[in-house]
Amino acid sequence: MPSQSRSPILDLSICGVLVGLSVFIIWGTKDIPPPFFDPVGSAAFPKYAAYIIIALALAIGVRAIFSIKTTHKETKKPYKEEPLLALYVVVVPSLYVLTMNLGWLSFRAATILFIILLSALLSKFDKRSMIVSAIVALVFGIGGQYLFTEVFYIDLPQ
Amino acid sequence: MEFFNALQHVLSPYPFLWIFIGVAGGIFVGAIPGLGGGMLMALTVPLTFSMDSTNAVLLLMGMHVGSVSGGLISATLLKMPGTPSAMMTTFDGHPMAKQGQPGKALSLGIGASLFGGIISGVFLIALAPPLSNFAHKFGPWEYVTMVMMAMVLIASISQGSMLKGLMAAMLGLMAAMPGLNESDGQLRLTYGFDSMGDGFNLLPVLLGIFVMSQIIKDALEINKKGVGIAMSKTERIFPKFGEWKRHTVNIARSSCIGTWVGILPGIGASISSMVAYGIAKTFSKNPKRFGTGHDEGIVAAESANNANAGGALIPLITIGIPGAPVDAILLGAMIMHQIQPGPLLFQTNGDLVWSLMTGYIVANIVMFLIMVFSARHLAKVVNINRTYLIPVVFAFCLIGAYAPSNRMFDVWVVIGFGVVGYFLDRARFPLGPFVIGYVLAGIMEAELRSGLQMSEGSFGPMMTRPIAATFTVISIVFLVYSLVQEWRSRKTIPTTESG
């Protein structure tokens, strides 16, 4: 089956990032000492994998360049995509993890705030959804802390 | 004899309870579009640490069976497959439901799932022990070439481009490289960060790829709604015997296809149902009715995708290679419970293997009963509000990643791999090969290094040892064939951007 990429530009961007990543890995393998017991050593596997990734990225990239002209207009979807909400789903959890990682908030407090905030953003501050999400947040924050620490013996951030 | 002992064990209260919970949870999650069995299993693994290992494996296996079947509810009633494996069911299940027969569509799907599951369970019990004995002959080169074959197969058969499949497999392999190399105790690719000493652990990577990338996608598509079809209270869901008699050949053929595709390392249930659907259409007396609500289409797709789950357990148990991406989670869970799948598993953990195989058949029967009695009610909750679901799922992710080693670094890994998985999926790089590449990287490197030590640096044994040579030839043939096919189809079909 042929590649039906959503966008050759996205393919090209990903390939560019992957080439950069591979170069970074090849550079990282230079610090690995040479093998002692076997003919391969620890550096060979990631190094050759990186070479293969570069070769594949170039092949996909060249193909994407040739397909830019022939790419047809995207079929209209029956629903509207929300890229901003997708961004929130990355940013808000990152802040949630950061607050616990830096020891600013306990799991319980951070979870309650996180669920309320993210639900509010996802529902675009719909009042009814926010009331329900506040209840969910309290139940999960308090109940979850109890369940996971007392029943499953998981040492959550305090 | 082992079978009956295992059956007795599996039917005792605790193991049976875990199977029941697993199947029920799997059906529920599988029925909700945007969630999936892989997600539920990955989130559950950390909660099983304090459990008996057999019960933990039965719970996870039950979830897998349940989720594959649960997908048919939303596929039929909402035209949104709850799991990718139910995609083919939408083609005939939804039109049949639209024609006023949602109960019949569900009953056909549920019954086909049961038969598919049981037939593949029989294959599993019949094939796993002799294949395990055969795998005792495997040395390092057999493993290296088999892993190579698995990666080529999954990359070429995955939906989309072969090059992208290979790239995904290589990226998965690369993700397993940083940290301590177990072959020689050498640290590599840590770039001076202490946290990288352990590398990217299995569970955070799986949670990132299976769960985090999915919730980013769910948020992006939050306005996506299914075309709901209500079921009347009098609608029959229990399958009629007469209906099944007509489908005997279709069920047997599709279940064998599902099992066989499942045995091929690394290939998931969605491919099984596609192949079975296509073949059922070819052999049908009414091929034109496929896609319009034809019962043969539902039966083929559902029996194949359930049979795939059983088939995929065969390479996992006998050689330690996951038959499908979701089985990578089961493999990870087994390793975390100090169980190493592979040829020695029957000797080291015989009771567990027999319980797993017998439990698989019991799980399919439990799935049938739960589906028959609850599908009507489940149909009402499949459109659950994702506004509440997404934050709670991430909170579970955090606990799941953090719990095994109490490291926040692992939670960052979930977010990082989630973003990577999202962009790869968006650009249609299949995620299945990524997971398989990640899981198999360690085996491949260790076996390659030990093979090269034995052969004094020569790759010759790849072609001089009969089993290794067979795997090598299959890999090369598949690779060349797939690349040629892709090149030809690209010359004839212009690239089209599609949703």
Side-chain angles (χ1 to χ4, degrees):
Chain A
M1 196 185 277
S3 163
Q4 302 267 313
S5 178
R6 281 162 205 261
S7 157
I9 305 293
L10 182 61
D11 277 2
L12 276 174
S13 313
I14 287 181
C15 289
V17 171
L18 292 178
V19 170
L21 181 77
S22 303
V23 171
F24 184 61
I25 284 164
I26 292 166
W27 172 71
T29 58
K30 294 202 186 321
D31 296 335
I32 303 170
F36 296 111
F37 310 109
D38 64 324
V40 181
S42 283
F45 218 71
K47 195 159 71 182
Y48 288 108
Y51 288 141
I52 296 173
I53 288 175
I54 291 174
L56 288 170
L58 291 176
I60 295 169
V62 168
R63 203 175 60 179
I65 290 169
F66 281 111
S67 68
I68 286 175
K69 283 181 187 170
T70 54
T71 300
H72 295 180
K73 188 95 179 143
E74 189 169 350
T75 318
K76 204 176 176 199
K77 286 179 182 152
Y79 57 91
K80 191 180 157 226
E81 287 194 337
E82 300 275 4
L84 196 62
L85 296 189
L87 185 67
Y88 291 152
V89 168
V90 179
V91 173
V92 179
S94 301
L95 292 173
Y96 169 51
V97 177
L98 192 68
T99 55
M100 285 184 282
N101 203 356
L102 297 174
W104 293 346
L105 290 174
S106 66
F107 172 80
R108 186 183 302 160
T111 302
I112 292 171
L113 289 174
F114 163 70
I115 294 178
I116 291 174
L117 177 63
L118 189 55
S119 293
L121 290 168
L122 291 174
S123 67
K124 295 177 180 165
F125 296 95
D126 173 58
K127 270 186 190 169
R128 198 171 153 223
S129 298
M130 284 174 69
I131 293 168
V132 178
S133 71
I135 297 167
V136 172
L138 287 170
V139 170
F140 193 83
I142 299 168
Q145 167 95 21
Y146 176 80
L147 180 76
F148 293 113
T149 52
E150 303 297 325
V151 180
F152 292 108
Y153 305 111
I154 296 170
D155 191 16
L156 293 168
Q158 298 294 323
Chain B
M1 196 62 204
E2 285 110 334
F3 172 78
F4 291 105
N5 288 340
L7 188 64
Q8 197 180 2
H9 173 70
V10 164
L11 292 177
S12 59
Y14 269 115
F16 185 77
L17 180 70
W18 289 118
I19 291 177
F20 185 86
I21 292 171
V23 173
I27 291 173
F28 182 73
V29 167
I32 299 171
L35 302 185
M39 185 185 255
L40 179 67
M41 288 165 74
L43 290 170
T44 308
V45 169
L47 306 181
T48 66
F49 289 155
S50 54
M51 284 172 65
D52 170 68
S53 49
T54 306
N55 290 344
V57 170
L58 289 175
L59 173 72
L60 294 169
M61 184 269 302
M63 286 175 174
H64 185 21
V65 171
S67 65
V68 172
S69 312
L72 93 95
I73 297 175
S74 45
T76 305
L77 301 180
L78 292 179
K79 206 185 174 184
M80 284 170 79
T83 49
S85 59
M87 173 60 82
M88 300 311 287
T89 314
T90 55
F91 293 169
D92 286 289
H94 187 71
M96 186 181 278
K98 234 175 152 182
Q99 289 156 17
Q101 296 178 298
K104 187 186 173 190
L106 285 177
S107 81
L108 283 167
I110 294 168
S113 299
L114 171 73
F115 289 121
I118 289 183
I119 289 172
S120 72
V122 172
F123 275 112
L124 173 66
I125 290 170
L127 293 179
L131 277 177
S132 180
N133 281 334
F134 175 70
H136 278 126
K137 293 176 187 164
F138 284 17
W141 288 107
E142 282 73 19
Y143 271 101
V144 170
T145 49
M146 191 175 56
V147 170
M148 192 172 73
M149 183 181 74
M151 286 168 78
V152 170
L153 276 179
I154 189 173
S156 57
I157 298 177
S158 296
Q159 286 166 279
S161 152
M162 163 86 179
L163 285 177
K164 286 185 173 179
L166 278 178
M167 175 66 98
M170 291 309 296
L171 288 175
L173 193 137
M174 189 60 91
M177 291 293 112
L180 189 75
N181 181 2
E182 287 180 8
S183 298
D184 56 9
Q186 186 72 57
L187 273 180
R188 67 182 172 194
L189 303 176
T190 59
Y191 299 97
F193 292 99
D194 292 341
S195 308
M196 288 288 286
D198 282 345
F200 301 125
N201 288 333
L202 176 68
L203 199 55
V205 172
L206 292 178
L207 284 169
I209 292 293
F210 277 110
V211 188
M212 186 70 195
S213 67
Q214 183 63 46
I215 62 175
I216 298 172
K217 197 173 161 189
D218 283 349
L220 185 79
E221 298 176 348
I222 204 155
N223 297 322
K224 190 176 176 182
K225 298 275 187 294
V227 192
I229 291 174
M231 280 183 70
S232 67
K233 283 183 182 173
T234 52
E235 193 91 37
R236 176 186 62 84
I237 294 183
F238 204 89
K240 276 183 186 166
F241 180 73
E243 266 170 15
W244 293 110
K245 241 174 125 182
R246 284 195 304 122
H247 294 294
T248 314
V249 176
N250 190 3
I251 289 173
R253 183 182 54 221
S254 303
S255 303
C256 289
I257 292 168
T259 309
W260 174 246
V261 175
I263 292 173
L264 297 175
I267 299 158
S270 36
I271 306 290
S272 296
S273 53
M274 269 181 219
V275 176
Y277 187 89
I279 292 177
K281 194 176 173 181
T282 309
F283 283 94
S284 173
K285 287 174 186 164
N286 306 301
K288 285 187 180 167
R289 288 182 61 199
F290 275 72
T292 61
H294 193 30
D295 44 4
E296 286 179 41
I298 302 172
V299 169
E302 280 303 314
S303 45
N305 68 18
N306 267 66
N308 181 282
L313 286 174
I314 297 173
L316 178 72
I317 290 172
T318 54
I319 45 182
I321 288 186
V326 170
D327 289 293
I329 301 171
L330 206 53
L331 174 74
M334 289 168 101
I335 292 169
M336 284 175 194
H337 279 271
Q338 314 295 326
I339 302 158
Q340 183 60 53
L344 295 175
L345 192 61
F346 272 93
Q347 289 164 20
T348 55
N349 293 85
D351 292 346
L352 181 136
V353 185
W354 280 102
S355 296
L356 175 63
M357 295 194 299
T358 317
Y360 174 74
I361 292 181
V362 172
N364 276 285
I365 296 167
V366 170
M367 173 279 296
F368 174 77
L369 294 172
I370 294 177
M371 289 279 276
V372 163
F373 292 109
S374 69
R376 191 188 311 279
H377 310 291
L378 277 169
K380 292 174 190 161
V381 295
V382 290
N383 246 340
I384 199 165
N385 191 340
R386 280 182 269 185
T387 308
Y388 321 125
L389 208 59
I390 289 172
V392 172
V393 168
F394 182 79
F396 268 113
C397 256
L398 178 137
I399 296 164
Y402 180 80
S405 34
N406 287 3
R407 293 195 315 165
M408 270 299 168
F409 174 75
D410 289 333
V411 187
W412 290 112
V413 171
V414 173
I415 296 175
F417 276 91
V419 173
V420 169
Y422 167 75
F423 279 108
L424 290 179
D425 182 58
R426 183 102 182 135
R428 307 220 166 154
F429 286 81
L431 296 180
F434 183 98
V435 174
I436 299 293
Y438 174 84
V439 170
L440 298 183
I443 304 173
M444 188 165 188
E445 185 180 10
E447 299 293 348
L448 180 65
R449 290 179 72 171
S450 92
L452 285 171
Q453 267 179 304
M454 285 161 63
S455 66
E456 297 174 342
S458 163
F459 284 88
M462 284 173 88
M463 292 309 288
T464 53
R465 293 173 67 94
I467 299 172
T470 310
F471 292 152
T472 308
V473 170
I474 293 174
S475 308
I476 294 168
V477 168
F478 250 93
L479 187 70
V480 173
Y481 176 76
S482 305
L483 286 173
V484 170
Q485 282 287 98
E486 189 171 329
W487 176 252
R488 278 188 186 159
S489 53
R490 286 199 70 78
K491 278 171 83 176
T492 51
I493 307 168
T495 307
T496 308
E497 279 192 19
S498 58

